[in-house]
Amino acid sequence: MTASAYTCAPALDAYLRRATWGLPEQRRQELWDELEEHVLTRTDHLLLSGLSPQDALTQALRELGAPSRVTLGMAKVYSMPKLFLAATTAALGLSATLYALAGGREMTFTLPVLTQQPVKPSCVRGTVPTSTGLTIVSQQGGVTCYTFNDANAYKGVFLSGTDLQQAINAQGGKATLQGARLSIDLPGLTTGGGDLNAMFTKDGTPYYDAAMVVGTLSTPLTITLKGFKAPQVQIGNLKLQLGQPGTNVGRAFYNPLALHLVSRLLPREQATPLRMVSGGWFAAAPGETPQGPAHTIQTGLPEGEVVMLVTKQAGNTFMADTAEVKAGGSVSLKSEAENLRFVTDPAQLGPYASGGHINALLLRLSNTPLNELPSAIFLPKQTTSSAR
């Protein structure tokens, strides 16, 4: 079922009438058509995420904002010269002009997420892999192709390139898709992180790792994170909701992002061009929690905040885990170290124990601008922790 079936929906018709009320007659139909096109296109996207047809339409209208706000913005735009209007009106999706029509307010774009990528063999030339975690599927001409036995290796949080393009363009930036390559140009973009290769393609649409998209953005616009199970990423006034309410991708999104975030705590020369240090994180498929001992820490933070635990391994490598604060302020986090001592300076991190404890950092990731991440370091109520 396509969103075109909603052209006669009472809710859509009422919204469009209210949003275009009072505008010059010669402009009214033009704006009606553009708004309708956006709503129907957005409804189609939301249908793919599993929403019912009615819920998808309701969500699309909610994202566009109150019709009275749109009406006011439209009246302002249409008092400008016609040439300016023609130059700034987009043909598809919620354009930067429509963003301005909505009053320049903060807007939330709900991006459907895929949590499973297609199982596709990886291939190497020369040495034949011998790991018990692999299954060799072909060997020819010195090239060996294999798949992973662990199904979680193909799980993650992936975003459609077309959805990302629409959302970024609405912010006044520019996102361009060329085959499987996504080029992002946000206002004030500096160096690095402007181009991403798709993780995979499904039904002709390229998909990108959500953590990589956020981690490689380089812009003076404030970037903040909020929520764990269905994370929200805010870039300037643009809010990207990763998944519908009820989604649970917490660790699957935050843990791969962790090493990008750790790099923001270090001197720039210690980070790679993609602003990511080396190391690892505790892998967890969407909706799952890593098994094994964990540190239960009393943070003193409100329920729902997102906390990251960081330790340093040999060399300049790090290990991280993230979790959501529970009622009462406690959080459960994984670490390879059984005994931890909490510190406030990244320079104090190291692989060697002192007094039987490894130094560790705790950071409040949610509601903290990423360019101010050092300010997110905090000490919990206890100075040390032992895994249970």
Side-chain angles (χ1 to χ4, degrees), residues 167-238:
I168 291 170
N169 288 348
Q171 172 68 9
K174 182 180 180 182
T176 304
L177 279 171
Q178 294 182 324
R181 192 166 186 80
L182 175 67
S183 298
I184 300 174
D185 183 10
L186 289 174
L189 187 68
T190 55
T191 59
D195 296 283
L196 290 170
N197 287 318
M199 293 290 293
F200 60 91
T201 299
K202 182 177 180 180
D203 299 329
T205 299
Y207 282 81
Y208 301 84
D209 182 87
M212 186 66 71
V213 171
V214 175
T216 57
L217 284 178
S218 180
T219 173
L221 295 174
T222 299
I223 303 175
T224 55
L225 306 172
K226 182 180 180 181
F228 189 70
K229 294 180 179 179
Q232 187 178 96
V233 182
Q234 183 165 350
I235 309 168
N237 288 329
L238 176 68

Side-chain angles (χ1 to χ4, degrees), residues 12-366:
L12 176 58
D13 185 73
Y15 185 99
L16 295 174
R17 289 182 184 278
R18 292 178 61 192
T20 59
W21 181 84
L23 296 173
E25 184 62 33
Q26 63 270 28
R27 302 297 188 196
R28 189 169 184 270
Q29 188 61 49
E30 179 182 351
L31 287 166
W32 179 297
D33 291 343
E34 184 175 357
L35 285 168
E36 183 180 53
E37 183 177 16
H38 163 68
V39 171
L40 298 181
T41 300
R42 183 61 180 146
T43 300
D44 275 336
H45 284 135
L46 293 170
L47 285 171
L48 295 176
S49 72
L51 287 186
S52 68
Q54 186 57 52
D55 287 345
L57 176 62
T58 300
Q59 175 70 16
L61 292 174
R62 184 182 299 117
E63 290 179 358
L64 194 54
S68 59
R69 295 285 298 273
V70 177
T71 301
L72 177 61
M74 287 177 174
K76 291 179 180 178
V77 169
Y78 277 98
S79 67
M80 300 177 186
K82 183 176 180 180
L83 179 62
F84 175 79
L85 176 67
T88 57
T89 301
L92 181 65
L94 183 60
S95 64
T97 300
L98 284 179
Y99 176 77
L101 299 184
R105 60 183 176 82
E106 295 180 356
M107 308 187 72
T108 300
F109 291 80
T110 300
L111 300 180
V113 298
L114 286 185
T115 56
Q116 175 77 49
Q117 60 177 302
V119 177
K120 182 179 179 181
S122 301
C123 299
V124 294
R125 181 181 295 276
T127 304
V128 177
T130 58
S131 172
T132 57
L134 305 176
T135 296
I136 294 177
V137 295
S138 68
Q139 289 180 287
Q140 186 175 3
V143 176
T144 302
C145 296
Y146 59 90
T147 57
F148 294 99
N149 297 336
D150 184 358
N152 286 344
Y154 299 99
K155 294 181 179 180
V157 184
F158 309 106
L159 303 174
S160 157
T162 53
D163 287 340
L164 281 167
Q165 184 180 40
Q166 180 185 18
I168 291 170
N169 288 348
Q171 172 68 9
K174 182 180 180 182
T176 304
L177 279 171
Q178 294 182 324
R181 192 166 186 80
L182 175 67
S183 298
I184 300 174
D185 183 10
L186 289 174
L189 187 68
T190 55
T191 59
D195 296 283
L196 290 170
N197 287 318
M199 293 290 293
F200 60 91
T201 299
K202 182 177 180 180
D203 299 329
T205 299
Y207 282 81
Y208 301 84
D209 182 87
M212 186 66 71
V213 171
V214 175
T216 57
L217 284 178
S218 180
T219 173
L221 295 174
T222 299
I223 303 175
T224 55
L225 306 172
K226 182 180 180 181
F228 189 70
K229 294 180 179 179
Q232 187 178 96
V233 182
Q234 183 165 350
I235 309 168
N237 288 329
L238 176 68
K239 291 181 180 179
L240 303 177
Q241 180 78 45
L242 306 188
Q244 300 292 339
T247 298
N248 186 356
V249 298
R251 274 186 166 95
F253 167 71
Y254 279 103
N255 280 12
L257 179 61
L259 296 182
H260 291 281
L261 300 179
V262 170
S263 71
R264 295 174 180 265
L265 303 173
L266 305 174
R268 183 171 295 273
E269 62 271 13
Q270 294 185 33
T272 70
L274 287 181
R275 297 186 59 79
M276 182 173 176
V277 297
S278 60
W281 60 86
F282 287 87
E288 297 182 4
T289 300
Q291 301 299 310
H295 293 267
T296 299
I297 304 164
Q298 290 295 328
T299 67
L301 297 176
E303 180 181 4
E305 296 291 344
V306 181
V307 173
M308 178 170 69
L309 172 67
V310 181
T311 56
K312 189 174 183 181
Q313 301 175 314
N316 194 37
T317 61
F318 297 81
M319 195 71 185
D321 189 32
T322 60
E324 182 179 30
V325 175
K326 300 177 181 178
S330 68
V331 67
S332 180
L333 291 155
K334 303 289 183 179
S335 176
E336 292 180 322
E338 182 177 348
N339 298 304
L340 299 176
R341 176 186 294 107
F342 301 108
V343 297
T344 59
D345 186 352
Q348 294 177 275
L349 296 178
Y352 305 111
S354 174
H357 293 80
I358 294 290
N359 286 349
L361 286 178
L362 286 173
L363 295 95
R364 175 181 176 171
L365 295 185
S366 49

